[in-house]
């Protein structure tokens, strides 16, 4: 047999054996049929059903095959591009309990299902659908608080920020385990923020709508704001400070919130033993941002649902906004940076972080600089999306000692390349409307306080009394084992022992220090307000029976 013929025979044998081997291997590894009921529904139920269900904002429900099937190709496109489920945090920084992103295996399963014809499979393989109470993600609320009356929004004009006072009617302190804000009309409600107004200050429930609006207007003669309809906006010629961490001006607190709603913002759900406090007799102030995109007259009556803790919590959660209102974004700037900072004056444990900007917001980073100089990035969102206001809940809460600087760095894209940019030709300042900008880094934290030796109820009683600083008068009262400061027209605020004669007031993030005379009697209170110290003399009450 010639060498050429021998080569041909070997080639044929090799090809035949190779084909048989390939056929055998293919038979063993042929992919199984991927079906909705068995393979895809469990993924959708876990990661998508919170929004993709009847009555929510998503365009279709994932709870049934017939609702999902027409969207199959679109689902694949969004999942492969990782646009859905929405998750914008840098995967290399931190771990978060509410991470909606899919694993590569889950993405591959959905892709295989669509490529294979998007079959339903055996309906008996379908897992039990997640249980949602109609209208509520948190389940049936213990109490539902609604706007006093239905509000009517005009068809045209600029956005509106409206404020509504909702008396709670609580006769005892309540501790909120879960909370959810529900818009009455999703066509027009952009966001809802529910603030707690404790008793003792302004009785907001007795104010007219016009008086309530005036309370939240910041357009005084020396203000950096001007009023446009129902909106507060920073004047274009107001002082500028992009670096809110330089100590000049720029730091601000956007206030505590007991419940909120915005696109993509989940309800508040706290771990057992953790809650938010609503004091007896409080009023909820609802700040509602209305958008007139519907183009017709619309009505709204939004609500707040609350589920209470079954017992008094061990710890109270606080939400604070780290904010800069003095930045200015130049026209056309593609990557303009601005910062805001906060240095807590007590040890805290951080549980959640939520960036907030408007349409020009491109990225946001939270960084902690510890008292020893070490730094750590807590959250990095390199591709911020205004349509998804995500609160990132840490898997392992982060302990930060007092004096840690928390720096929030925002990057804004005011260029023409930003397809969401309302107008790249204009400089941009802070403002309520979405065609202005904001820089707020919300932070959910629990203060970690240590007991001060010797500060029992008897020791606290020495501080009780009336203090006079001329125009400002303060009373210190004792309720059980706690001290409170009362100032006319202001809610009662708690004074937290810091040292033997020093108390921390969280609402002003500062201290009250008391002085004693040679007999050990309290004679004066020094109240720190920003860079100022106000000294108030304690009034000596005449002894009982004296003239």
């Amino acid at each position: 047999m010639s060498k050429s013929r021998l080569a041909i025979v070997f080639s044929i044998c090799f090809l035949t054996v190779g084909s048989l081997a390939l056929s055998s291997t293919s038979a063993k590894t042929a992919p199984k049929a991927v079906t909705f009921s068995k393979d895809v529904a469990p993924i959708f139920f876990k990661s998508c059903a919170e929004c993709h269900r009847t009555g929510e904002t998503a365009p279709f429900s994932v709870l049934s095959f017939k609702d999902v099937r027409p969207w199959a190709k679109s689902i694949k496109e969004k999942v492969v591009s990782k646009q859905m489920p929405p998750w914008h945090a840098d995967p290399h920084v931190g771990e978060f309990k509410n991470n909606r992103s899919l694993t590569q295996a889950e993405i591959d399963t959905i892709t295989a299902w669509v490529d294979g014809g998007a079959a339903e499979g055996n309906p008996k393989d379908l897992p039990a659908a997640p249980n949602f109470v109609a209208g509520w993600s948190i389940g049936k609320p213990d109490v539902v608080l609604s706007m006093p009356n239905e509000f009517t929004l005009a068809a045209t004009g600029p956005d509106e920020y409206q404020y509504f006072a909702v008396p709670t009617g609580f006769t005892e302190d309540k501790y909120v385990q879960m909370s959810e804000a529900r818009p009455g009309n999703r066509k027009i409600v952009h966001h809802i923020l529910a603030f707690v107004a404790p008793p003792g200050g302004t009785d907001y429930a007795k104010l007219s709508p016009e008086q309530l609006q005036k309370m939240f207007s910041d357009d005084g003669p020396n203000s950096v704001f001007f009023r446009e309809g129902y909106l507060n906006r920073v004047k274009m010629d107001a002082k500028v400070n992009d670096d809110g961490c330089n100590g000049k001006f720029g730091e601000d607190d956007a206030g505590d919130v007991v419940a909120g709603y915005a696109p993509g913002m989940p309800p508040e759900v706290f771990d057992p033993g953790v809650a938010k406090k609503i004091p007896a007799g409080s009023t909820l102030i609802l700040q509602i941002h209305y958008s007139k995109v519907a183009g017709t007259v619309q009505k709204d009556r939004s609500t707040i649902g609350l589920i209470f803790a079954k017992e008094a919590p061990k710890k109270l959660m606080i939400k604070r906004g780290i904010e800069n209102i003095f930045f200015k974004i130049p026209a056309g700037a593609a990557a303009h940076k601005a910062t805001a900072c906060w240095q807590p004056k007590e040890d805290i444990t951080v549980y959640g972080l939520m960036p907030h900007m408007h349409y020009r917001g491109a990225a946001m980073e939270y960084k902690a600089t510890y008292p020893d100089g070490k730094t750590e990035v807590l959250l990095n969102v390199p591709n911020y999306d205004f349509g998804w206001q995500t609160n990132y809940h840490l898997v392992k809460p982060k302990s930060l000692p007092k004096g840690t600087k928390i720096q929030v760095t925002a990057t804004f894209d005011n260029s023409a390349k930003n397809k969401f940019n309302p107008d790249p030709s204009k400089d941009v300042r802070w403002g309520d409307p979405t065609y202005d900008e904001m820089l707020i880094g919300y932070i959910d934290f629990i203060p970690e306080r240590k007991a001060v030796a010797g500060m029992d109820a008897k020791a606290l009683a020495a501080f009780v009394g009336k203090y006079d600083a001329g125009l400002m008068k303060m009373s210190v009262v004792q309720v059980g084992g706690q001290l409170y400061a009362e100032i006319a027209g202001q809610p009662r605020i708690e004074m937290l022992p810091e040292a033997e004669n020093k108390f921390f007031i969280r609402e002003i993030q500062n201290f009250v220090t008391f002085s004693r005379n040679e007999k050990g009697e309290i004679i004066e209170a020094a109240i720190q307000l920003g860079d100022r110290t106000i000294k108030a003399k304690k009034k000596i009450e005449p002894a009982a029976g004296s003239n």
Side-chain angles (χ1 to χ4, degrees), residues 444-508:
D444 293 322
F445 68 95
I446 291 175
E448 307 291 352
R449 300 198 63 82
K450 298 176 182 178
V452 177
M455 297 297 282
D456 56 14
K458 183 178 179 181
L460 293 175
F463 301 94
V464 172
K466 296 180 179 179
Y467 295 79
D468 191 339
L471 293 177
M472 190 191 83
K473 293 174 173 56
M474 176 179 76
S475 294
V476 175
V477 299
Q478 184 174 4
V479 179
Q482 295 173 306
L483 287 186
Y484 294 87
E486 294 181 340
I487 298 173
Q490 300 294 325
R492 174 187 287 179
I493 52 178
E494 187 175 0
M495 300 171 62
L496 304 164
E498 182 78 11
E500 183 181 358
N501 295 309
K502 189 176 183 179
F503 294 80
F504 180 64
I505 298 182
R506 190 170 290 131
E507 285 78 2
I508 62 173

Side-chain angles (χ1 to χ4, degrees), residues 44-340:
F44 287 171
F45 289 3
K46 172 180 70 74
S47 299
C48 310
E50 181 181 344
C51 297
H52 284 268
R53 57 189 172 93
T54 302
E56 295 301 313
T57 54
F60 63 94
S61 171
V62 296
L63 298 181
S64 72
F65 174 73
K66 69 179 182 64
D67 289 326
V68 169
R69 182 59 183 84
W71 296 86
K73 290 184 178 179
S74 177
I75 290 171
K76 174 189 170 183
E77 177 187 337
K78 298 294 184 183
V79 165
V80 170
S81 66
K82 298 187 177 179
Q83 294 180 60
M84 287 286 166
W87 187 254
H88 306 100
D90 182 343
H92 304 99
V93 178
E95 293 182 84
F96 304 95
K97 291 193 293 186
N98 57 328
N99 189 341
R100 305 187 193 100
S101 60
L102 302 181
T103 66
Q104 190 56 51
E106 290 171 327
I107 294 173
D108 292 343
T109 296
I110 295 170
T111 300
W113 172 64
V114 176
D115 291 347
E120 178 180 14
N122 188 345
K124 293 182 179 181
D125 292 334
L126 193 69
N131 184 31
F132 295 101
V133 174
W136 298 100
S137 297
I138 59 173
K140 183 180 179 181
D142 292 326
V143 66
V144 175
L145 300 170
S146 301
M147 292 163 49
N149 300 294
E150 192 173 56
F151 174 73
T152 301
L153 183 72
T156 59
D159 290 2
E160 294 186 16
Y161 266 53
Q162 292 287 345
Y163 294 86
F164 305 94
V166 183
T168 63
F170 297 159
T171 56
E172 61 182 6
D173 294 346
K174 295 290 187 180
Y175 297 95
V176 178
Q177 188 82 53
M178 304 181 194
S179 66
E180 184 174 355
R182 299 287 297 180
N185 185 343
R186 293 179 184 273
K187 293 179 182 178
I188 58 174
V189 175
H190 171 265
H191 81 238
I192 304 170
L193 294 177
F195 300 92
V196 177
T202 301
D203 190 345
Y204 293 99
K206 292 183 178 179
L207 299 181
S208 68
E210 293 75 22
Q211 290 172 322
L212 198 58
Q213 279 292 331
K214 189 64 178 175
M215 287 288 296
F216 295 97
S217 299
D218 294 320
D219 58 345
N222 298 317
S223 175
V224 299
F225 298 96
F226 71 96
R227 192 78 171 159
E228 181 184 70
Y230 294 94
L231 303 168
N232 289 322
R233 305 179 67 192
V234 167
K235 298 171 184 175
M236 192 56 68
D237 61 353
K239 55 188 177 181
V240 176
N241 187 29
D242 287 333
D243 182 7
C245 302
N246 60 16
K248 294 180 181 178
F249 50 88
E251 181 180 326
D252 199 6
D253 177 10
D256 195 9
V257 177
V258 72
Y261 163 82
M265 181 178 176
E268 295 274 26
V269 178
F270 303 119
D271 294 332
V274 177
K276 284 198 170 186
K277 180 180 178 180
I278 301 180
S282 293
T283 296
L284 293 189
I285 304 298
L286 305 189
Q287 179 201 81
I288 303 185
H289 178 179
Y290 289 109
S291 175
K292 298 178 181 176
V293 292
T296 57
V297 174
Q298 296 284 321
K299 296 182 181 296
D300 172 62
R301 193 177 186 189
S302 294
T303 57
I304 305 295
L306 304 174
I307 294 178
F308 302 126
K310 305 308 178 190
E311 56 187 28
K314 297 177 180 178
K315 297 183 177 182
L316 295 178
M317 186 71 73
I318 296 173
K319 184 187 289 291
R320 178 189 175 93
I322 305 172
E323 182 176 22
N324 182 351
I325 64 171
F326 293 102
F327 63 90
K328 185 177 184 179
I329 309 169
H336 184 75
K337 293 187 182 298
T339 61

Side-chain angles (χ1 to χ4, degrees), residues 294-504:
T296 57
V297 174
Q298 296 284 321
K299 296 182 181 296
D300 172 62
R301 193 177 186 189
S302 294
T303 57
I304 305 295
L306 304 174
I307 294 178
F308 302 126
K310 305 308 178 190
E311 56 187 28
K314 297 177 180 178
K315 297 183 177 182
L316 295 178
M317 186 71 73
I318 296 173
K319 184 187 289 291
R320 178 189 175 93
I322 305 172
E323 182 176 22
N324 182 351
I325 64 171
F326 293 102
F327 63 90
K328 185 177 184 179
I329 309 169
H336 184 75
K337 293 187 182 298
T339 61
C341 277
W342 176 51
Q343 280 187 284
K345 295 183 179 179
E346 55 187 337
D347 296 343
I348 66 172
T349 301
V350 177
Y351 284 77
L353 303 164
M354 191 181 86
H356 179 70
M357 298 175 284
H358 289 167
Y359 286 118
R360 295 173 179 86
M364 185 174 282
E365 178 194 75
Y366 289 70
K367 184 172 72 174
T369 301
Y370 295 96
D372 63 4
K374 292 181 181 178
T375 62
E376 180 181 9
V377 176
L378 305 178
L379 171 69
N380 180 36
V381 179
N383 296 295
Y384 174 81
D385 187 337
F386 178 63
W388 292 95
Q389 306 283 319
T390 301
N391 193 352
Y392 298 89
H393 300 293
L394 281 67
V395 170
K396 295 180 180 179
K398 181 65 64 175
S399 296
L400 302 181
K402 62 181 176 181
T404 299
K405 183 176 77 172
I406 305 171
Q407 176 173 307
V408 176
T409 302
T411 303
F412 298 98
D413 184 357
N414 195 21
S415 73
K417 292 183 179 179
N418 177 2
K419 65 180 180 180
F420 302 109
N421 193 345
D423 189 347
S425 68
K426 292 183 178 180
D427 294 344
V428 180
R429 301 303 304 261
W430 184 99
D432 286 336
T434 52
Y435 45 81
D436 287 342
E437 266 304 332
M438 287 188 178
L439 192 175
I440 307 175
Y442 286 104
I443 175 171
D444 293 322
F445 68 95
I446 291 175
E448 307 291 352
R449 300 198 63 82
K450 298 176 182 178
V452 177
M455 297 297 282
D456 56 14
K458 183 178 179 181
L460 293 175
F463 301 94
V464 172
K466 296 180 179 179
Y467 295 79
D468 191 339
L471 293 177
M472 190 191 83
K473 293 174 173 56
M474 176 179 76
S475 294
V476 175
V477 299
Q478 184 174 4
V479 179
Q482 295 173 306
L483 287 186
Y484 294 87
E486 294 181 340
I487 298 173
Q490 300 294 325
R492 174 187 287 179
I493 52 178
E494 187 175 0
M495 300 171 62
L496 304 164
E498 182 78 11
E500 183 181 358
N501 295 309
K502 189 176 183 179
F503 294 80
F504 180 64

